[in-house]
Amino acid sequence: MASSTYAVTKIVGTSKTSIEDAIEGAIATASKSLRGLDWFEVISTRGYIDNDKVKYYQVTLELGFKYDG
Amino acid sequence: MASSTYAVTKIVGTSKTSIEDAIEGAIATASKSLRGLDWFEVISTRGYIDNDKVKYYQVTLELGFKYDG
Amino acid sequence: MASSTYAVTKIVGTSKTSIEDAIEGAIATASKSLRGLDWFEVISTRGYIDNDKVKYYQVTLELGFKYDG
Amino acid sequence: MASSTYAVTKIVGTSKTSIEDAIEGAIATASKSLRGLDWFEVISTRGYIDNDKVKYYQVTLELGFKYDG
Amino acid sequence: MASSTYAVTKIVGTSKTSIEDAIEGAIATASKSLRGLDWFEVISTRGYIDNDKVKYYQVTLELGFKYDG
Amino acid sequence: MASSTYAVTKIVGTSKTSIEDAIEGAIATASKSLRGLDWFEVISTRGYIDNDKVKYYQVTLELGFKYDG
Amino acid sequence: MASSTYAVTKIVGTSKTSIEDAIEGAIATASKSLRGLDWFEVISTRGYIDNDKVKYYQVTLELGFKYDG
Amino acid sequence: MASSTYAVTKIVGTSKTSIEDAIEGAIATASKSLRGLDWFEVISTRGYIDNDKVKYYQVTLELGFKYDG
Amino acid sequence: MASSTYAVTKIVGTSKTSIEDAIEGAIATASKSLRGLDWFEVISTRGYIDNDKVKYYQVTLELGFKYDG
Amino acid sequence: MASSTYAVTKIVGTSKTSIEDAIEGAIATASKSLRGLDWFEVISTRGYIDNDKVKYYQVTLELGFKYDG
Amino acid sequence: MASSTYAVTKIVGTSKTSIEDAIEGAIATASKSLRGLDWFEVISTRGYIDNDKVKYYQVTLELGFKYDG
Amino acid sequence: MASSTYAVTKIVGTSKTSIEDAIEGAIATASKSLRGLDWFEVISTRGYIDNDKVKYYQVTLELGFKYDG
């Protein structure tokens, strides 16, 4: 992270296959409206169950991005 | 919560009467600018005191809403 | 709490009207299968939103009850 | 909160009816010996159960008040 | 999560291959005795090491399921 | 902990003499109905006071046991 | 805990011999100025080391007592 | 904080000189796009090291501002 | 910290200039009524904003002092 | 974990592909200088983003190993 | 703690008899390789169960010691 | 932080003048024995009081450094 101001936003990504896929999906969606995405942190990993199998993972991320106000 | 991407925003609602009223007020205000509000979580419940009575409740919420980037 | 062994179970009660009503509902449901319910602690207060209003409150409780093994 | 020194005390209020009533009761009791009560924060919400109903709510608060030493 | 009462149980799943596999295994085992499994949350991710490699992952989950008392 | 599925239950043990005695008592009570008890973790240590002495210790444990569903 | 208002104070007790002895000592000291001591909770357990042995235990407690304002 | 709705945003400010300077910088940047900034809370204080000296401080803040939706 | 009983009180100090100044101010105010102040711990660092600058810092401290009951 | 003394060290592993790969990499690096690695716990999962994709995962682990002083 | 730099290490001590004995054992083992041990803090208290009795306590400590680099 | 393995160590720095000075002192001491220091995070800020003034600040840091095993 270079020396500037960053903002942090919270996003929940979902995936039927894996935690990593949910992270990538959240970043892809956020990148449509936010520029300069720089880092993420996993805040929680949850999911929904259907017929006794994982229906999808829900990964809550904090996403940091460059912010000039 | 259906399988899509959600964003989470943090809002402080206030009410002179109850915690539930502060929650409803925060959601009503947020709904003016955010569509697809889906869930909330109470993060903290505080308040101000005047003449030894509750002046108003301040309830900090996280609000989740559908987000397409 | 008298001097004996207690077990703690986690229950999520829901209500369309208030946090207190969700707590009472969770206790009523738990009392069908658990005897000797003695205390509760609110772990989290969440809810779902429909049309920009609270659809229902979800209150997660820990419930303590007498336990003889 | 104006620019001065505050002290914070921890109080547990109880009520048979509601969380808000337990908060008000704790503030009323504290105001007998503390002047300048200014804000509160809910630290935990617990309660006791009798005959499968809430016997009373116990709400633990931190109470801030002006403090001149 | 529909509007009813849920119970939450804590389960530790293990897997030699991945975090997701440990989650699926815990759900499969729990489904033998619990009906109506609805959601999970990862509480901790640990593991044992053998010969400087991961021997198995241990993922502690909270599992929510419909509960009628 | 061998490679299998474990469940975790929460128990409050009490003792007039020591924290260790409260832990042993909680395990003894739990073992009447749960088989395969394997580990514990102390979650909180509380107690009640009578005449300015400890009346009894209350130790809240999480207890892990083998679980086949 | 009966239905009334309680205050909570934080005390650090010390002992050369055991955690339980530090708890008893803190309660004994507090009882000189506080009446109606009712419960305690251990917040942290620390200690000082001298010549590679425990010099004394320091146990931080929250102490609840009846409070009429 | 007056009786209205507030939003809370998370910002990371940086400074080569001090924690206070990083806080002021984050507020100055945020004020370019947000009106009605009212309070802040320090969430974490980190930094980067270069040649065994602090290269810059990174202070993560939550910033509250008036919000009319 | 020598081997005796300590009490811990919570104080919020404010300063227009720095975190350290708010700490010193809180200690100075507390010392008017408490003797034997021995240590402090910063619990939170907040502040109020006016015209997009820090109006004052609010530093919440726990203060430990010798306590003989 | 057998009955002996363990030390715990904190390591950050990185991987371009998955969380599990970052865990395995951290263990492999640690095993060059530490013998008797026995267990790990994931403390945080973060990562860096480049061109709106995960550049690499950073998984912070606590690693336990046998320790004879 | 005098005015100098300290390092903090994390150690898990075990004992078949008591929490205090596990603390003393961890300090004794650490003292073989670390000089200037000064304080400890209990981070967690766990244990293993065999035949429905405590097999041994596992107490995780942070140990502070003087550190000159 | 580049893509490699890092270790994290915990250090307590002290200073009579400021929090920043305690941070710089801890880094300077650590750099005598650790190479590749890269980042820090403030874990707690405490201090000792003498004659109702801050005697010295004690800042506990986690320090990250490049680690090749």
Side-chain angles (χ1 to χ4, degrees):
Chain A
M1 207 184 334
S3 169
S4 55
T5 301
Y6 288 79
V8 182
T9 191
K10 209 168 188 173
I11 301 283
V12 185
T14 60
S15 165
K16 292 180 181 304
T17 58
S18 72
I19 294 166
E20 286 84 350
D21 191 57
I23 294 170
E24 291 281 8
I27 294 170
T29 304
S31 71
K32 292 183 199 168
S33 58
L34 296 173
R35 307 189 65 163
L37 290 172
D38 200 61
W39 88 89
F40 68 91
E41 177 168 356
V42 175
I43 301 303
S44 69
T45 302
R46 302 182 186 181
Y48 278 77
I49 300 170
D50 194 37
N51 271 326
D52 301 332
K53 292 192 179 309
V54 175
K55 194 174 165 188
Y56 47 87
Y57 295 92
Q58 290 181 311
V59 182
T60 302
L61 302 177
E62 286 193 340
L63 283 172
F65 57 98
K66 291 206 186 80
Y67 176 74
D68 299 317
Chain B
M1 208 184 331
S3 169
S4 54
T5 301
Y6 287 79
V8 182
T9 191
K10 208 168 187 173
I11 301 283
V12 185
T14 61
S15 164
K16 290 180 182 304
T17 58
S18 72
I19 294 167
E20 286 84 351
D21 191 57
I23 293 170
E24 291 282 8
I27 293 170
T29 304
S31 71
K32 292 183 199 169
S33 59
L34 296 173
R35 309 188 65 162
L37 291 171
D38 199 62
W39 88 90
F40 68 90
E41 176 167 357
V42 174
I43 301 301
S44 69
T45 302
R46 302 181 186 183
Y48 277 77
I49 301 170
D50 194 37
N51 271 325
D52 301 331
K53 291 191 180 309
V54 175
K55 194 175 165 188
Y56 47 87
Y57 295 92
Q58 291 181 312
V59 182
T60 302
L61 302 178
E62 286 194 339
L63 284 172
F65 56 99
K66 289 205 186 83
Y67 176 74
D68 300 316
Chain C
M1 207 184 333
S3 171
S4 55
T5 301
Y6 288 80
V8 182
T9 191
K10 209 168 188 173
I11 301 283
V12 186
T14 60
S15 163
K16 290 180 181 305
T17 57
S18 73
I19 293 166
E20 286 83 352
D21 190 58
I23 293 170
E24 291 281 8
I27 294 170
T29 304
S31 71
K32 293 183 199 167
S33 58
L34 297 173
R35 308 187 66 163
L37 291 172
D38 198 62
W39 88 90
F40 68 89
E41 177 168 357
V42 175
I43 302 301
S44 69
T45 303
R46 302 182 187 181
Y48 277 76
I49 301 170
D50 194 37
N51 269 327
D52 302 331
K53 292 191 180 309
V54 174
K55 194 174 165 187
Y56 47 85
Y57 295 92
Q58 291 181 311
V59 182
T60 303
L61 301 177
E62 286 194 338
L63 284 172
F65 57 98
K66 290 206 185 79
Y67 176 75
D68 300 317
Chain D
M1 209 186 328
S3 169
S4 55
T5 301
Y6 288 79
V8 182
T9 191
K10 209 167 186 173
I11 301 283
V12 186
T14 60
S15 165
K16 290 181 183 304
T17 58
S18 71
I19 294 166
E20 286 84 353
D21 190 57
I23 294 170
E24 291 281 7
I27 294 169
T29 304
S31 71
K32 292 182 199 167
S33 59
L34 296 173
R35 309 189 63 163
L37 291 172
D38 199 60
W39 88 90
F40 68 90
E41 177 168 356
V42 175
I43 302 302
S44 69
T45 302
R46 301 181 188 183
Y48 277 77
I49 301 170
D50 194 36
N51 270 327
D52 302 331
K53 292 192 180 306
V54 175
K55 194 175 166 189
Y56 47 85
Y57 295 92
Q58 291 181 312
V59 182
T60 303
L61 300 178
E62 287 194 338
L63 283 172
F65 57 99
K66 290 207 186 79
Y67 177 74
D68 299 317
Chain E
M1 208 184 331
S3 170
S4 54
T5 301
Y6 288 79
V8 182
T9 191
K10 210 168 186 173
I11 301 283
V12 185
T14 59
S15 164
K16 291 181 182 304
T17 58
S18 72
I19 294 166
E20 286 85 351
D21 191 57
I23 294 170
E24 291 281 7
I27 294 169
T29 304
S31 70
K32 292 182 199 167
S33 58
L34 297 173
R35 308 188 65 162
L37 290 173
D38 199 61
W39 87 89
F40 67 89
E41 177 168 356
V42 175
I43 301 302
S44 69
T45 303
R46 302 182 186 181
Y48 278 77
I49 300 170
D50 194 38
N51 271 326
D52 301 331
K53 292 192 179 308
V54 175
K55 195 174 166 188
Y56 46 85
Y57 295 91
Q58 291 182 311
V59 182
T60 303
L61 301 178
E62 287 194 338
L63 284 172
F65 57 98
K66 290 206 185 79
Y67 176 74
D68 300 316
Chain F
M1 209 185 328
S3 170
S4 54
T5 300
Y6 287 79
V8 183
T9 191
K10 209 167 186 173
I11 301 284
V12 185
T14 60
S15 164
K16 289 180 183 306
T17 58
S18 72
I19 294 166
E20 286 84 351
D21 191 57
I23 293 170
E24 290 281 8
I27 293 170
T29 305
S31 71
K32 292 183 201 167
S33 59
L34 296 173
R35 309 189 63 164
L37 290 173
D38 198 62
W39 88 90
F40 67 90
E41 177 168 356
V42 175
I43 301 301
S44 70
T45 303
R46 302 181 187 183
Y48 277 78
I49 301 170
D50 194 37
N51 271 326
D52 301 333
K53 292 191 180 307
V54 174
K55 195 175 166 188
Y56 47 86
Y57 294 92
Q58 291 181 311
V59 182
T60 303
L61 301 178
E62 287 194 338
L63 284 172
F65 57 99
K66 290 206 185 80
Y67 176 73
D68 300 317
Chain G
M1 209 186 326
S3 170
S4 55
T5 300
Y6 288 79
V8 182
T9 191
K10 207 168 188 173
I11 301 284
V12 185
T14 60
S15 164
K16 291 180 182 304
T17 59
S18 72
I19 294 166
E20 285 84 352
D21 190 58
I23 293 170
E24 291 281 8
I27 293 169
T29 304
S31 70
K32 293 182 200 167
S33 59
L34 296 173
R35 308 188 65 163
L37 291 172
D38 198 61
W39 88 90
F40 68 89
E41 176 168 356
V42 175
I43 302 300
S44 69
T45 303
R46 302 182 187 183
Y48 277 77
I49 301 170
D50 194 36
N51 271 327
D52 302 333
K53 292 191 180 307
V54 174
K55 194 174 166 188
Y56 47 85
Y57 295 91
Q58 292 181 311
V59 182
T60 303
L61 301 177
E62 286 194 340
L63 284 172
F65 56 100
K66 290 205 186 81
Y67 176 75
D68 300 317
Chain H
M1 206 182 335
S3 169
S4 54
T5 301
Y6 288 80
V8 182
T9 190
K10 209 168 188 172
I11 301 284
V12 185
T14 60
S15 164
K16 290 180 182 306
T17 58
S18 72
I19 294 166
E20 286 84 351
D21 190 57
I23 294 170
E24 290 281 8
I27 294 169
T29 304
S31 71
K32 292 182 200 170
S33 59
L34 296 173
R35 309 188 65 162
L37 291 171
D38 199 62
W39 89 89
F40 68 90
E41 177 168 357
V42 175
I43 301 302
S44 69
T45 302
R46 303 183 186 180
Y48 278 77
I49 301 170
D50 194 37
N51 271 327
D52 301 332
K53 291 191 181 307
V54 175
K55 195 175 165 187
Y56 47 87
Y57 294 92
Q58 291 181 310
V59 182
T60 303
L61 302 177
E62 287 194 339
L63 284 172
F65 57 98
K66 291 205 185 81
Y67 175 76
D68 301 316
Chain I
M1 206 185 332
S3 170
S4 55
T5 301
Y6 288 80
V8 182
T9 191
K10 208 168 187 172
I11 301 284
V12 186
T14 59
S15 165
K16 291 181 180 304
T17 58
S18 72
I19 294 167
E20 286 84 351
D21 190 58
I23 294 170
E24 291 281 8
I27 294 169
T29 304
S31 70
K32 293 182 198 168
S33 59
L34 297 173
R35 307 188 66 163
L37 290 173
D38 198 61
W39 88 90
F40 67 90
E41 176 168 356
V42 175
I43 301 301
S44 68
T45 303
R46 302 181 187 182
Y48 278 77
I49 301 170
D50 194 38
N51 270 326
D52 302 331
K53 293 192 180 307
V54 174
K55 195 174 166 187
Y56 46 85
Y57 295 92
Q58 291 181 310
V59 182
T60 303
L61 300 177
E62 287 194 337
L63 283 172
F65 57 99
K66 290 205 186 80
Y67 176 75
D68 300 316
Chain J
M1 205 181 338
S3 169
S4 55
T5 301
Y6 287 80
V8 182
T9 191
K10 207 168 188 172
I11 301 283
V12 185
T14 59
S15 164
K16 290 179 182 304
T17 57
S18 72
I19 293 167
E20 286 84 350
D21 190 57
I23 293 170
E24 290 281 7
I27 294 169
T29 304
S31 71
K32 292 182 200 168
S33 58
L34 296 173
R35 307 188 66 162
L37 291 172
D38 199 62
W39 88 89
F40 68 89
E41 176 167 356
V42 175
I43 301 301
S44 68
T45 303
R46 302 182 187 180
Y48 277 77
I49 301 170
D50 194 37
N51 269 327
D52 301 332
K53 293 191 178 308
V54 175
K55 195 174 164 187
Y56 46 86
Y57 294 92
Q58 292 182 309
V59 182
T60 302
L61 302 177
E62 287 194 339
L63 284 172
F65 57 98
K66 291 205 186 81
Y67 175 75
D68 300 316
Chain K
M1 209 184 329
S3 169
S4 54
T5 300
Y6 287 80
V8 182
T9 191
K10 209 168 187 172
I11 300 284
V12 185
T14 60
S15 164
K16 290 180 182 304
T17 58
S18 72
I19 294 166
E20 286 84 352
D21 190 58
I23 293 170
E24 290 281 8
I27 293 170
T29 304
S31 71
K32 292 182 199 167
S33 59
L34 295 173
R35 309 188 66 162
L37 291 172
D38 199 63
W39 88 90
F40 68 89
E41 177 168 356
V42 175
I43 301 301
S44 69
T45 302
R46 302 181 187 182
Y48 277 77
I49 301 170
D50 194 36
N51 270 326
D52 301 332
K53 291 191 180 308
V54 174
K55 194 175 167 187
Y56 48 85
Y57 294 92
Q58 291 180 312
V59 182
T60 303
L61 302 177
E62 287 193 340
L63 285 172
F65 57 99
K66 290 207 186 81
Y67 176 74
D68 300 318
Chain L
M1 208 184 330
S3 169
S4 54
T5 301
Y6 288 79
V8 181
T9 191
K10 208 168 187 173
I11 301 283
V12 185
T14 60
S15 164
K16 290 180 182 306
T17 57
S18 71
I19 294 166
E20 285 84 351
D21 191 57
I23 293 170
E24 290 281 8
I27 293 170
T29 304
S31 71
K32 292 183 198 168
S33 59
L34 296 174
R35 308 189 65 164
L37 290 172
D38 199 61
W39 87 90
F40 67 90
E41 177 167 356
V42 175
I43 301 301
S44 69
T45 302
R46 303 182 186 182
Y48 277 77
I49 300 170
D50 194 37
N51 271 327
D52 302 332
K53 292 193 180 306
V54 175
K55 194 176 167 188
Y56 47 86
Y57 295 92
Q58 291 181 312
V59 182
T60 303
L61 301 178
E62 286 194 340
L63 284 172
F65 57 98
K66 290 205 184 82
Y67 176 74
D68 301 316

